């Protein structure tokens, strides 16, 4: 049988240009454009199928022509060959068509009793008379010349023609009268098939041409009459083709009637008759296949219109469905009923020529013996009269007058009511009954037909069916029950249609089918889900798809195995058919089931609803998760081995559709509406997981399961038997066998008693109560355990029973055992049927047990019959039909409390749903991505990955996003944990462009799948979602590192690195550099061969081929398409708490072993002395340099210093890592160390306020570096230190007061490249406001400044050359830039030393030191530094030093009368300075300028002495100091190295002497005896080197001086000389310029 879909309907014939009627076909041509494009209201959609066609002839003439056509055909028949002239001319006995009776419609017959017989005649009698009676009433002129009446059928046409003569508007003509003659022909059994066909065709034209429309008079009555006629059509059989043409025209007319303008005017009975007629044609196997299929198509079309009526009824009822759906006892038509085809009567049939009137019942024997006699009838359950041969009464047995047209009866017209819910419900019921799987009268063809029609009805009005209680009840019970059994059929046609209808039913009515849907989907999952491991495929990592479940979650513990013979095992084949174990379905069946799931999954809200209504309910299965698991597992290619090759792509399409729906809802507003509370659903899911786990534990060990459930709060009190019993009875997840053993164990009687108390045994027999009890658990096999259960059961039953059939609890006890024994006897397969217990035996065994009396025989008979027909065992141990029936009854009971299914196409629950289902989805996408080979598959999977990432990021599902990143990075091949080999990397240059050809670049460029995954990952998944990634950073970081090591990372960090002010990270140099631009274009094979030999001889790798170069370029192009710069930019703005994952991922990539493969740093082309790249050789003993380590440290530091919150989040980890690397500097490459030091200092600057990092610790670590590393790290260290002390913060104070800081920069200042930076750093410390110089760093700062001044002595060489050139009159030569730098720094250093002197008073004041100690601590360093530079060979520095020294010595804050420690400026500063100047080596360091310096020193000494003369006069060491000055002057005068001194010294002494004399400090002994010593000693000393000066100055006061005594050193002098010697010893020699 052809499996044409009912949706195809009736094919429309091609219309001509005008859309006219097609002659010869007998069918209406409907312009396709009108049908397709005309949009109509709901109530008019199907009425519009009859399109009014324009006609070119007059309507009255057309009707007249049709009358003549029918009568002409009749006259050609021998039976009507003789007709009167009046019949031909159109005359008649009556002049008015408004008089006379009319035939009854089926509805009118119910009002038969209200009519008067003398006022109405039943014309239907004529349609039942045989041919002989009709012949006796016809008039014709025979051979004897007798006149006979015309045939009443012909006369009726003549009457109509006569009435039409005066009609000018056919729309005003009475419709029943217009149709009357044609209806008589249709109902007459005397007409042949062609005549009946012409009559039906004429009526069809009337409707098609618009001659009859909704405005026609008395149209409702006409529609009823027409319905009655065509459903009771009878005609003589001619040939099967002609007969079936009649039936086809009837189908066409019925279709046009229901779909036409008068369709809504039909009554319920008429619709039922027409539907039953159509169904009968569909089911009659004697009819041709074409006719049956045509009938099916017409039925589908009519059902569309009929069920569409439900929508109009809803509008009329205004939502109050109870008005349309009253209880059966309130129905206006309690007798309305359609008979199921093959069980009722037929409505239209061909009759044999000599056929006697057939009965109204369908005669199957006659159908078998006379195939030509097929009659279709409708039974309306009306009483039959004894005279009603055809179901219609006659009047006195006389024949009616067929010439009379129907007369208007207002009472009858008013009674006609449009069809509504009763007929629709009856039609639906009959269609559903046809699906009964166990009714053998219904063939599979009939079921397929019914399924197709039901599918159309559901497609049209499924939601309306769900709203009407009576229709919904049919759908929920009978329809679902039949469908769920038909889907287990092995007939593929039945299976396909059943699946289709079930899918449509769930798609339209699932709101009232909550538990039914769960049962159906659970079956599909159990039937389709493969329970085998996924086979491993080469090249695909099993970790990518390990989240795909191998078994669905709904799989329950294995059913209890019978051990005592009380249950009947079901054969495995039967269990598979039943679906108890999923079944071993054929591949085609599996594919059909998968297609059905795909159909449901294409509903946008379907899986969302599964999640809310099942996964989030404690007692329901996790259907959403199981459905996704099924689709995921079946999308793997191996699923085709047990299904078909179409199943994997179908499942993949369903999965991708689910992802698409969730992604489409991302932008929707979260309208919670009246949906369940999301928090409550989450709580339910959490509780459900706990219960599932607890039940699993209970099935393994009941005691531990109870303890676990109590600990989780599921069981309130484990010591309360009622609480435990309530849980055990309320859950379906516990093994029935384990439960039975648990309850029956000794010591658990309280729990068993509480468990029994939960049953209601009121009004039940013992066997019924026992059946309820044993449905909850399996009876254990040991006798003591059974006895314990039976004893308590007997007590509880007797206590609760209200029946008087049992005397006491002992009676119940014995009877219960007897029932158990009877159950075993009746159903034990090892007991022969003849040996089974009879009811007499059962009664005999219980004689006298009921309190000493016998049980009532009927009581025991009922028990016996119940046990014999229905075994007491668990549901999964029943046989096939009983198992399903039992499960279905249980399901219907549960539906009363389950509530309706929540329909919700919202995104409110998408986050929770996707969180529960993403794992198998991502795993499946990964596997398909790795195994696919078609671009279309790649495109869909890529879109799926992208949408999954969007969903995960939007809903904050970091674990899902991390998994997606892991899968894509694995597929990309770039996230390898072991870095790729870079030993053969080759740089190819062409003009200004270059590319690095590497092993990674070549392999990646050849892998299209890897490139696609990389683009999806780096362009679609990561950008914008950086804040949502957690563990996925590990794989992203690996990709970054591998790209960086192979020079494939775009310069994305340039803008970000600007904050660090560091150059790019040096990477390894290529094994060779090839400049293709330098090669001639004509180099041929010989040149290439020579190049190869040269490379081989030099032990270099061969040059990359053109193919490898192209692959590398593909890689470069792919990576350019990835906006890595956007990702790094986003990292600077994401929340700080999200940075921790990235930083940890970065730091985790640092090698634990600090000895990776040794590579070299890519050399700077401008650096001299480095080997050429092609000649590079590695030093096996060199420390390893890993650029990736520096990359990690740099990126981590940038993230840590991004802002304050980032520092708090990740600063500690980064700081510890950097410090560890710096501490291990001896085992780390210097490049890594210098970068780490700088990053550490940068981090210190950003996070110094936090406890995890301390400046002293870091500075100590840096200062501990050995000198070679320190030298190489000098610039980064200084750069970092400068950054740290740039601002006047607490960090600057902490750093500059740390000794390690000064020791570090002290060690660095001697490095030429570092000296400028050290000096700038030092200047910033001194010059900033406020100054960073403190008591702790004062001396260190002075010392460092002095060293810079000393380093400036290199300028002396150029000064002396310049002096020489001047003497020889050569042009002066400027100092070199480098020398100028040293001199400039020296001059600035001297200035800075003097500048520090201004801070000395403040430092002394804050120091709280004694005056002597404070002077030595703060003043002495400055004076020593300045005095040291006063002998600097460089004049510029020396002059600046003298200037500073003079100003310092003359500072008003230096001396004070309250203390005398300042007097040391002579013995510790001036005297040693002059002593140094008097040394020959000092003099020869600058012969030209040193003489002047001596003069300056002598002048300075005198100036300082005079400046402090007043204070010195009160000092007891005044005499010694003065004598010491005179001795110094003596030495200067007698140095013999300059004439300037001979002039300057006497002049200076003369000034001193005059000042001293004027001040009364130097007076003759005559005036002040106390000054005799000073006077005499002065005179003596002056006379020694300046004889006569004293007399010259003091001529009037001169007396002979005392004799000169040998010079003996005095204590002060000794002290001074000792200080001088000590100073000289401590004075470091000036280093030669080249040493500096």
């Amino acid at each position: 049988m052809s499996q044409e879909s009912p949706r195809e309907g009736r094919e429309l014939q091609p219309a001509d240009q005008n859309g006219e009627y097609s002659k010869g076909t007998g069918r209406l041509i409907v312009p396709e454009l009108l049908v397709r494009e005309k949009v109509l209201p709901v109530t008019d959609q199907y009425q519009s199928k009859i399109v009014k066609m324009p006609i070119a002839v007059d309507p009255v003439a057309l009707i007249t022509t049709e009358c003549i056509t029918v009568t002409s055909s009749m006259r050609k028949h021998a039976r009507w060959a003789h007709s009167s002239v009046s019949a031909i001319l159109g005359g008649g006995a009556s002049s008015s068509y408004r008089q006379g009776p009319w035939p009854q419609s089926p509805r009118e017959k119910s009002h038969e009793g209200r009519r008067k017989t003398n006022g109405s005649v039943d014309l239907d009698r004529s349609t039942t008379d045989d041919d002989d009676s009709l012949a006796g009433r016809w008039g014709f002129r025979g051979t004897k010349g007798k006149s006979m009446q015309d045939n009443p059928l012909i006369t009726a046409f003549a009457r109509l023609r006569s009435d039409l003569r005066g009609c000018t508007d056919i729309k005003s003509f009475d419709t029943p009268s217009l149709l009357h003659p044609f209806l008589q022909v249709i109902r007459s059994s005397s007409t042949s098939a062609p005549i009946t066909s012409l009559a039906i065709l004429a009526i069809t034209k009337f409707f098609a041409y618009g001659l009859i429309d909704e405005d026609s008079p008395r149209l409702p009555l006409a529609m009823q009459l027409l319905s009655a006629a065509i459903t009771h059509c009878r005609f003589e059989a001619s040939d099967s083709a002609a007969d079936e043409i009649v039936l086809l025209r009837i189908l066409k007319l019925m279709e046009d009637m229901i779909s036409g303008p008068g369709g809504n005017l039909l009554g319920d009975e008429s619709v039922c008759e027409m539907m039953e007629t159509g169904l009968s044609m569909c089911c009659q196997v004697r009819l041709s296949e074409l006719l049956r299929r045509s009938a099916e198509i017409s039925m589908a079309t009519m059902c569309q219109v009929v069920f569409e009526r439900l929508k109009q009824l809803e509008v009329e009822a205004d939502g109050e469905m109870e008005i349309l759906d009253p209880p059966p006892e309130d129905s206006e038509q309690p007798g309305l009923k359609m008979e199921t085809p093959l069980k009722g009567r037929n409505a239209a049939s061909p009759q044999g020529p000599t056929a006697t009137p057939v009965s109204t019942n369908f005669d199957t024997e006659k159908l078998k013996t006379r195939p030509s006699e097929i009659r279709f009838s409708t039974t309306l359950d009306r009483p039959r009269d004894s005279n009603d041969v055809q179901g219609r009464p006659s009047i006195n047995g006389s024949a009616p007058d067929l010439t009379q047209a129907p007369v208007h009866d207002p009472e009858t017209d008013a009674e006609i009511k449009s069809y509504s819910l009763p007929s629709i419900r009856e039609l639906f019921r009959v269609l559903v009954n046809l699906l009964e799987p166990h009714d053998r009268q219904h063939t599979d063809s009939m079921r397929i037909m019914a399924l197709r029609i039901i599918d159309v009805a559901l497609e049209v009005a499924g939601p309306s069916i769900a709203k009407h209680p009576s229709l919904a009840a049919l759908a929920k019970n009978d329809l679902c029950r039949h469908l769920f059994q038909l889907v287990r059929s092995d007939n593929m046609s039945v299976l396909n249609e059943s699946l289709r209808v079930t899918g449509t039913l769930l798609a339209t009515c699932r709101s009232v089918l909550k538990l039914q849907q769960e049962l159906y989907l659970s079956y599909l999952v159990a039937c389709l889900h493969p329970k085998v491991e996924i086979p491993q495929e080469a090249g695909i990592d099993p970790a990518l798809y390990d989240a795909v479940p191998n078994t669905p979650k709904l799989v329950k513990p294995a059913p209890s195995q019978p051990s005592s013979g009380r249950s009947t095992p079901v054969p495995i084949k039967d269990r598979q058919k039943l679906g108890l174990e999923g079944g071993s379905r054929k591949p085609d069946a599996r594919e059909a089931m998968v297609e059905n799931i795909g159909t449901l999954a294409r509903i946008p809200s379907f899986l969302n609803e599964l999640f809310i209504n099942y996964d989030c309910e404690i007692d329901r299965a996790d259907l959403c998760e199981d459905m996704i698991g099924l689709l995921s597992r079946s999308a793997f290619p191996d699923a085709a081995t047990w299904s078909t090759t179409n199943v994997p792509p179908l499942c993949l399409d369903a999965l991708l559709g689910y992802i698409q729906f969730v992604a489409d809802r991302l932008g929707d507003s979260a309208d919670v509406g009246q949906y369940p509370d999301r928090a409550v659903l989450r709580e339910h899911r959490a509780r459900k997981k706990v219960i599932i786990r607890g039940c699993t534990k209970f099935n393994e060990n009941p005691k531990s399961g109870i303890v676990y459930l109590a600990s989780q709060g599921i069981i309130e009190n484990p010591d309360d038997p009622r609480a435990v019993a309530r849980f055990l009875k309320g859950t379906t997840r516990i093994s029935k066998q384990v439960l039975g053993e648990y309850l029956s164990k000794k010591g658990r009687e309280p729990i068993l008693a509480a468990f029994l108390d939960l049953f209601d045994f009121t009004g039940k027999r013992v066997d019924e109560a026992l059946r309820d009890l044993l449905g909850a658990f399996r009876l254990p096999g040991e006798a003591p355990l059974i006895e314990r259960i039976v004893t308590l059961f007997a007590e509880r039953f007797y206590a609760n029973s209200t029946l008087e059939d049992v005397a006491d609890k002992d009676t119940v006890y014995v009877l219960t055992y007897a029932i158990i024994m009877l159950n075993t006897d009746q159903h034990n397969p090892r007991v022969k049927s003849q040996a089974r217990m009879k009811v007499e035996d059962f009664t005999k065994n219980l004689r006298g047990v009921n309190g000493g009396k016998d049980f009532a025989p009927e009581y025991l008979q009922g028990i016996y019959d119940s046990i014999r027909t229905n075994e007491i065992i668990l549901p999964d141990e029943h046989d096939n039909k009983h198992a399903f029936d039992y499960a279905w009854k249980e399901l219907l009971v549960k539906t009363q409390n389950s509530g309706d299914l929540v329909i919700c196409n919202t995104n409110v629950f998408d986050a929770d749903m996707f969180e529960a289902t993403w794992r198998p989805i991502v795993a499946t996408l990964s596997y398909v991505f790795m195994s696919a080979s078609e671009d279309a598959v790649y495109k869909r999977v890529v879109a799926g990955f992208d949408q999954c990432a969007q969903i995960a990021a939007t809903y904050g599902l970091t674990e899902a996003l991390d998994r997606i990143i892991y899968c894509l990075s694995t597929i990309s091949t770039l996230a390898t944990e072991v870095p790729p080999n870079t030993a053969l990397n080759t740089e190819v240059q062409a003009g200004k462009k270059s590319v690095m050809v590497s092993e990674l670049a070549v392999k990646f460029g050849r892998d299209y799948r890897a490139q696609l995954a990389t683009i999806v990952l780096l362009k679609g998944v990561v950008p914008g979602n950086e804040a949502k990634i957690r563990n996925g950073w590990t794989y992203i970081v690996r990709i970054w590192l591998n790209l960086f090591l192979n020079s494939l990372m775009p310069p994305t960090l340039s803008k970000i690195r600007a904050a660090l002010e560091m150059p790019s990270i040096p990477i390894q140099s290529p094994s060779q550099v090839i400049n293709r631009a330098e090669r001639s274009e004509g180099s041929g094979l010989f040149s290439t061969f020579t190049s190869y030999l040269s490379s081989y001889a030099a032990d270099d790798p061969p040059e990359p081929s053109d193919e490898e170069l192209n692959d590398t370029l593909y890689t470069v192009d792919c990576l350019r398409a990835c906006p890595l710069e956007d990702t790094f930019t986003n990292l600077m703005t994401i929340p700080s708490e999200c940075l921790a994952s990235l930083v940890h991922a970065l730091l985790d990539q640092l090698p634990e072993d600090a000895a990776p493969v040794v590579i070299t740093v890519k050399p700077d082309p401008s650096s001299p002395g480095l080997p050429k790249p092609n000649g590079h050789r590695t030093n096996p003993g060199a420390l390893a340099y890993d650029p990736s380590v520096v990359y990690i440290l740099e990126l981590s530091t940038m993230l840590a210093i991004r802002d304050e919150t980032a520092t708090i989040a990740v600063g500690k980890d980064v700081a510890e890592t950097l410090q560890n690397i710096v501490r291990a500097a001896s085992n780390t490459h210097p490049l890594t160390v210098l970068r780490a030091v700088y990053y550490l200092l940068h981090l210190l600057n950003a996070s110094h306020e936090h406890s995890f990092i301390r400046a002293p610790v870091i500075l100590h670590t840096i200062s501990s570096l050995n000198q070679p590393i320190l030298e190489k790290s000098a610039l980064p260290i200084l750069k970092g230190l400068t950054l740290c002390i740039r601002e006047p913060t607490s960090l600057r104070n902490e750093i500059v007061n740390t000794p390690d800081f000064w020791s570090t920069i002290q060690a660095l200042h001697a490095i030429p490249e570092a000296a400028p930076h050290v000096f700038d750093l030092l200047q910033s410390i001194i010059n900033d406001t406020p100054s960073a110089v403190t008591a702790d760093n004062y001396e260190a700062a002075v010392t460092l400044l002095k060293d810079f001044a000393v380093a400036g002595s290199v300028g002396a060489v150029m000064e002396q050359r310049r002096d020489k050139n001047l003497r020889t009159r050569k042009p002066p030569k400027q100092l070199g830039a480098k020398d100028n730098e040293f001199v400039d720094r020296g001059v600035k250093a001297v200035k800075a030393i003097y500048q520090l002197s201004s801070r000395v008073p403040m430092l002394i004041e804050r120091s709280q030191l004694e005056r002597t100690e404070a002077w030595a601590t703060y003043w002495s360093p400055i004076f020593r530094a300045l005095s040291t530079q006063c002998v600097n060979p460089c004049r510029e520095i020396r002059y600046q030093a003298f200037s500073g020294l003079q100003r310092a010595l003359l500072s008003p804050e230096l001396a004070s009368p309250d203390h005398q420690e300042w007097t040391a400026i002579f013995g510790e500063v001036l005297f040693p300075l002059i002593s140094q100047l008097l040394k020959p080596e000092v003099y020869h360091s600058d012969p030209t300028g040193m003489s002047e310096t001596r003069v300056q020193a002598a002048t300075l000494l005198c100036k300082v002495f005079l400046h402090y003369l007043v204070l010195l006069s009160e000092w007891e060491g005044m005499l010694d100091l003065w004598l010491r000055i005179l001795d110094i002057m003596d030495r200067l005068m007698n140095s013999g190295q300059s004439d300037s001194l001979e002039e300057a010294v006497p002049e200076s002494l003369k000034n001193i002497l005059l000042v001293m004399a004027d001040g009364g400090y130097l007076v003759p002994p005559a005036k002040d005896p106390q000054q005799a010593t000073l006077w005499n000693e002065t005179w003596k000393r002056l006379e020694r080197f300046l004889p006569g000066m004293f007399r010259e100055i003091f001529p009037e006061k001169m007396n002979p001086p005392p004799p000169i005594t040998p010079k003996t050193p005095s204590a002060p002098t000794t002290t001074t000389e000792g200080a001088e010697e000590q100073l000289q010893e401590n004075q470091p020699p000036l280093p030669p310029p080249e040493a500096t």
Side-chain angles (χ1 to χ4, degrees), residues 527-565:
C527 189
L528 295 176
H529 201 296
K531 301 176 180 60
V532 297
E533 295 288 340
I534 301 174
Q536 295 188 9
E537 186 173 341
I540 301 180
D541 186 359
L544 291 175
Y545 52 86
D546 58 1
V548 178
N550 288 323
T551 56
K553 298 179 68 174
L554 58 83
V555 173
K556 298 181 178 179
S560 308
Q561 296 299 325
S563 58
S564 58

Side-chain angles (χ1 to χ4, degrees), residues 957-975:
L957 305 177
T958 58
E959 186 179 358
L961 190 60
D962 291 339
R963 184 67 182 183
I964 293 171
I965 292 173
Y966 162 74
C967 294
L968 289 175
S969 60
T970 302
I971 299 172
S972 72
T973 69
L974 295 177

Side-chain angles (χ1 to χ4, degrees), residues 10 25-27 197 200 204 235 240-256 281 287-298:
R10 175 169 50 85
T25 63
R27 306 189 68 178
S197 178
I200 297 173
T204 303
F235 55 88
S240 59
D243 295 344
E244 292 194 355
I245 288 176
V246 175
L247 299 181
L248 285 172
R249 292 186 184 273
I250 290 175
L251 288 172
K252 176 66 172 60
L253 182 56
M254 289 194 302
E255 182 179 342
D256 291 346
M281 291 186 191
L287 299 179
S288 67
E289 175 74 11
L290 177 62
L291 179 58
R292 283 188 279 116
R293 293 305 304 275
S294 299
E296 178 183 330
I297 294 173
S298 297

Side-chain angles (χ1 to χ4, degrees), residues 1528-1543:
I1528 292 297
M1529 291 300 180
D1530 185 7
R1531 294 184 58 188
L1532 289 173
M1533 281 293 296
N1534 299 311
S1535 60
Q1537 297 175 347
S1538 174
D1539 297 334
S1540 301
L1541 281 175
E1542 296 177 359
E1543 297 177 0

Side-chain angles (χ1 to χ4, degrees), residues 350-373:
Q351 292 285 87
T354 60
T356 59
V358 296
S359 63
T360 56
N361 294 324
F362 180 73
D363 190 351
T364 56
E365 295 297 326
K366 185 176 291 187
L367 182 62
K368 293 178 182 179
T369 57
R370 300 180 63 182
S372 62
E373 295 184 7

Side-chain angles (χ1 to χ4, degrees), residues 313-336:
L313 295 176
E314 292 176 20
V315 177
E316 296 173 357
D318 195 17
E320 299 180 3
M321 299 304 173
E322 294 78 7
I323 299 177
L324 299 174
D325 203 357
E329 58 271 12
D330 298 336
S331 175
E332 296 180 0
Q333 298 172 307
L336 182 65

Side-chain angles (χ1 to χ4, degrees), residues 1296 1298-1299 1301-1303 1305-1306 1322 1333-1347 1396 1421:
V1296 298
T1298 302
F1301 168 76
W1302 295 100
S1303 63
I1305 62 175
Q1306 182 71 37
L1322 187 58
V1333 177
T1334 63
D1336 295 328
N1337 60 25
Y1338 173 78
E1339 186 174 359
V1342 173
T1343 303
L1344 186 57
L1345 289 171
K1346 184 188 67 174
D1347 292 342
L1396 288 177

Side-chain angles (χ1 to χ4, degrees), residues 779-780 782-793 813 817:
L779 202 63
E782 300 178 11
L785 304 181
I786 298 176
E787 180 183 4
R788 192 172 292 115
I789 294 176
V790 172
T791 301
L792 287 176
F793 168 74
Y813 177 84
Y817 261 111

